[in-house]
Amino acid sequence: MLLLKGCATINPEPRHDVEMAEETREVRGRIPKELKIAFEIACARLEFTQTAALEEAIRDWLKKKESAADEK
């Protein structure tokens, strides 16, 4: 599944077949304190890194937005 935005193509599917270390970028944002604490607790309880959880959330958001755009 690909998302197109201007000239950029975004593939929200995870790429598990990549052997080389994938280049990464930092994402920043501000969220309510209570949401941040709940996120940290959930990640720790599930033994999931915050990076992995954020990547999953962003991929899910991209898929959701693509589905909404396809329905229009």
Side-chain angles (χ1 to χ4, degrees), residues 37-66:
I37 292 169
F39 176 69
E40 291 172 337
I41 292 169
C43 287
R45 187 176 304 143
L46 297 169
E47 297 182 359
F48 219 67
T49 67
Q50 290 181 26
T51 297
L54 287 170
E55 185 175 340
E56 182 178 324
I58 291 169
R59 287 183 193 285
D60 289 347
W61 184 86
L62 289 170
K63 287 178 188 177
K64 177 182 171 185
K65 294 302 179 186
E66 182 179 63

Side-chain angles (χ1 to χ4, degrees), residues 2-64:
L2 295 177
L3 296 178
L4 300 176
K5 179 76 174 171
C7 295
T9 301
I10 303 168
N11 184 357
E13 300 298 326
R15 296 178 13 179
H16 300 291
D17 60 334
V18 178
E19 291 182 19
M20 295 175 41
E22 188 173 359
E23 185 176 346
T24 62
R25 295 286 191 264
E26 184 174 321
V27 176
R28 290 176 171 238
R30 300 189 72 74
I31 60 173
K33 178 181 176 182
E34 294 77 18
L35 183 59
K36 180 183 182 297
I37 292 169
F39 176 69
E40 291 172 337
I41 292 169
C43 287
R45 187 176 304 143
L46 297 169
E47 297 182 359
F48 219 67
T49 67
Q50 290 181 26
T51 297
L54 287 170
E55 185 175 340
E56 182 178 324
I58 291 169
R59 287 183 193 285
D60 289 347
W61 184 86
L62 289 170
K63 287 178 188 177
K64 177 182 171 185

